[in-house]
Amino acid sequence: MDPRLDILPNKPGVYIMRSKEGTIIYVGKAKNLSDRVKQYFQESNLYSRGWKLPCLLPLIAKIDYITTASERDALVLEEKLIKQYQPFFNSLGKDGKSYPYLKLTMGEDFPRLHLTRRVVRGKDLYFGPYPKSSIVKSLMRFLWKSKYAPLRPCKWNFSREKELDPRKINTCIYYHTGQCPAPCAGKISYEDYRKIAERMAQFLDGHFGNITENITRLMKEHSAKWEYEQAAVYRNFLHALAHMQERVLVGQFKDDKITTAMENTDKLKRLAQVIGLNKLPAHIEAFDNSHLFGREAVGCVVCYINGEKNHEHYRRFKIRSKLPERGGSDFTMMEESVFRRLRQIKKDPSQAPDLILLDGGKSQITAALNAFDRAGIYIPFISLAETHEGIYLPGAEESIKLPIGDPALNLLMEIRDEVHRFAITYHRTLRNKETLSNGPMSA
């Protein structure tokens, strides 16, 4: 199997297969991008899926991908891309249909709940979209039968001012069997019925209360009695709850953002190839220092996720190390900044980046190695020298020099310039505060 596939992340997302001309020929979604794409290149699968795979594989020249927050996110983004690009090998998704929403008709006096593919702004509430609509429909039926939120299932139009024809009420099986609260017949007040509708709105918005615990308990009870079919029903309900609770983010994607995401992925792939990293450096943190003759010395960290700034994870340090009286020590400051950040990561390994970038030359490599030794952990790192834009790797005598315009170098220079800006801004802020605090005393 092609070792280049190892760079794919073990995350949900969408993969985009292109021909050598750059044309998108297939779009797919995956719960795990790495596992899913590798399946295409396993010989055992080659002729087990009809004509499509043997015809598709020889045409693939490039595979792009976009990671998403969840599998459901990937499903919705896949649909969007198929509609936009109409890939030849995608048979589904070209018919103009979209994933359905649940519509709660709060614009009516006595709201109903039903699936729709059309969203219209107004008083009605929409929840979704739900790519796996069958499990959602099954859960809604369960909630209705269990009287958790028994909204009327009929399509009759009536209100407090316009009552329903009694003949229609008398022919309604839900009314006669007691399965419906029957607001049409006055069996429930307007206020009490609206409370049921509001309860359903809260539920669809992800506020499940104790229903998850109750369904889990029922599943375990039936399983203990060897009633596995009924236990499986409740298990499916739990899956439906999880599906509904996921927040779809890809609706916020614009076409230009999708293009940017693909371009950033190309940059990260190129960077991994240049520095010999066996995984995509989706999470990069960069370090730089700033001072004025050793005064108000600071260390700063910026964070990039999937090639984009992540301001929420920027960090600043006031340097505590003792510095020379008439000047600073970039080596000492870098070691302290890296060590203090590594100490934070050691407490919470989930914060660990895929790659650390140092602003500086070869000497900063030694400073970082000292910090790693003190912290007792290791993360892949490189240094970028500003004088000649050379990339230094630990243990390498010579730097890697890429041509101006190389996507990997462009990305590193952007990140380096951003952390340099951030460090200088913080240093100036502290220096201005010192000037203001000393001003009245010197006057």
Side-chain angles (χ1 to χ4, degrees):
M1 187 172 296
D2 193 329
R4 288 176 295 179
L5 296 176
D6 292 335
I7 204 169
L8 291 162
N10 295 303
K11 294 180 179 180
V14 170
Y15 53 94
I16 301 141
M17 295 176 170
R18 297 176 182 269
S19 67
K20 64 180 180 180
E21 294 82 16
T23 304
I24 295 177
I25 55 177
Y26 187 75
V27 174
K29 82 282 186 185
K31 186 175 182 179
N32 184 309
L33 282 166
S34 179
D35 291 347
R36 181 69 186 93
V37 174
K38 287 178 181 178
Q39 288 178 0
Y40 282 89
F41 299 91
Q42 293 174 357
E43 191 172 346
S44 58
N45 292 332
L46 187 57
Y47 296 101
S48 61
R49 302 184 183 182
W51 64 271
K52 184 179 293 184
L53 192 56
C55 295
L56 173 64
L57 284 182
L59 300 178
I60 299 172
K62 182 181 179 184
I63 300 176
D64 294 319
Y65 64 89
I66 302 172
T67 57
T68 57
S70 67
E71 184 184 10
R72 177 175 159 197
D73 230 2
L75 284 163
V76 179
L77 180 56
E78 177 200 36
E79 178 199 36
K80 177 181 176 66
L81 293 177
I82 291 174
K83 280 187 170 60
Q84 180 177 353
Y85 294 105
Q86 297 286 302
F88 177 81
F89 287 94
N90 284 100
S91 54
L92 299 176
K94 293 183 179 181
D95 54 4
K97 291 183 179 179
S98 58
Y99 288 122
Y101 290 77
L102 278 171
K103 178 180 179 180
L104 187 58
T105 59
M106 296 299 282
E108 296 181 306
D109 283 352
F110 303 101
R112 297 166 291 161
L113 181 70
H114 60 89
L115 285 170
T116 181
R117 296 180 188 272
R118 186 167 174 241
V119 177
V120 181
R121 294 184 181 275
K123 294 181 180 180
D124 297 335
L125 301 179
Y126 295 86
F127 303 89
Y130 300 114
K132 299 179 181 178
S133 59
S134 60
I135 63 173
V136 173
K137 286 191 284 187
S138 179
L139 179 61
M140 291 302 103
R141 283 195 297 271
F142 169 76
L143 294 176
W144 184 69
K145 288 182 178 179
S146 65
K147 305 294 184 182
Y148 179 86
L151 297 173
R152 64 185 181 99
C154 68
K155 296 181 180 179
W156 301 121
N157 291 316
F158 63 93
S159 64
R160 287 175 291 177
E161 287 74 27
K162 181 185 176 183
E163 296 182 353
L164 187 63
D165 187 334
R167 289 174 295 180
K168 292 180 179 178
I169 298 174
N170 290 332
T171 59
C172 178
I173 188 171
Y174 299 114
Y175 166 70
H176 288 292
T177 58
Q179 296 180 73
C180 176
C184 58
K187 281 193 169 185
I188 186 173
S189 68
Y190 167 79
E191 291 76 16
D192 287 343
Y193 188 88
R194 295 293 294 193
K195 286 179 182 178
I196 294 175
E198 288 165 5
R199 183 182 186 186
M200 177 57 82
Q202 287 287 311
F203 175 86
L204 293 173
D205 201 35
H207 304 285
F208 297 149
N210 61 356
I211 190 169
T212 303
E213 290 77 10
N214 290 339
I215 292 179
T216 303
R217 176 180 52 79
L218 289 169
M219 179 183 69
K220 290 180 178 179
E221 287 178 0
H222 284 284
S223 180
K225 297 176 183 177
W226 294 3
E227 297 170 352
Y228 296 120
E229 283 192 21
Q230 188 58 42
V233 171
Y234 291 118
R235 179 203 61 204
N236 292 339
F237 290 156
L238 291 174
H239 289 168
L241 288 173
H243 183 57
M244 295 177 68
Q245 201 167 28
E246 292 175 350
R247 289 290 182 259
V248 175
L249 304 177
V250 295
Q252 300 169 5
F253 273 96
K254 303 296 182 185
D255 291 347
D256 57 340
K257 288 192 174 183
I258 294 174
T259 302
T260 299
M262 292 181 184
E263 291 174 350
N264 286 340
T265 298
D266 287 340
K267 293 177 184 177
L268 294 170
K269 285 180 184 177
R270 171 64 176 157
L271 178 57
Q273 178 188 24
V274 167
I275 64 176
L277 201 62
N278 60 6
K279 65 178 291 189
L280 198 77
H283 178 179
I284 300 175
E285 292 189 6
F287 291 72
D288 191 18
N289 307 302
S290 185
H291 65 96
L292 180 65
F293 302 116
R295 291 171 51 199
E296 302 299 341
V298 299
C300 288
V301 186
V302 301
C303 174
Y304 272 60
I305 302 292
N306 293 324
E308 299 285 340
K309 298 174 188 175
N310 190 314
H311 292 284
E312 185 180 346
H313 292 159
Y314 281 27
R315 290 172 174 82
R316 310 182 299 190
F317 304 107
K318 289 183 180 180
I319 297 299
R320 301 168 182 166
S321 301
K322 186 175 181 180
L323 302 174
E325 291 184 8
R326 294 185 178 274
S329 169
D330 288 336
F331 182 94
T332 302
M333 290 189 288
M334 183 63 76
E335 181 178 339
E336 179 182 333
S337 297
V338 175
F339 172 71
R340 288 170 66 179
R341 177 67 184 120
L342 292 176
R343 195 167 52 183
Q344 294 172 346
I345 292 171
K346 197 169 184 180
K347 292 178 182 177
D348 182 7
S350 66
Q351 296 183 21
D354 302 311
L355 179 69
I356 286 176
L357 171 65
L358 311 177
D359 179 20
K362 200 172 182 180
S363 62
Q364 303 293 31
I365 294 286
T366 306
L369 286 172
N370 290 346
F372 282 118
D373 287 341
R374 289 170 58 194
I377 62 174
Y378 182 80
I379 295 169
F381 73 100
I382 58 176
S383 178
L384 183 65
E386 191 168 359
T387 53
H388 59 281
E389 307 296 4
I391 304 169
Y392 285 94
L393 275 61
E397 290 296 325
E398 300 293 331
S399 65
I400 300 171
K401 294 183 177 64
L402 299 176
I404 298 299
D406 186 284
L409 181 59
N410 286 348
L411 178 61
L412 291 179
M413 290 170 62
E414 177 189 337
I415 299 173
R416 188 269 317 281
D417 293 345
E418 173 66 6
V419 72
H420 188 61
R421 178 203 63 78
F422 187 52
I424 289 176
T425 301
Y426 181 43
H427 165 68
R428 286 175 178 167
T429 300
L430 295 182
R431 208 170 73 201
N432 290 339
K433 285 182 180 178
E434 182 191 31
T435 302
L436 288 173
S437 63
N438 291 338
M441 294 179 63
S442 61

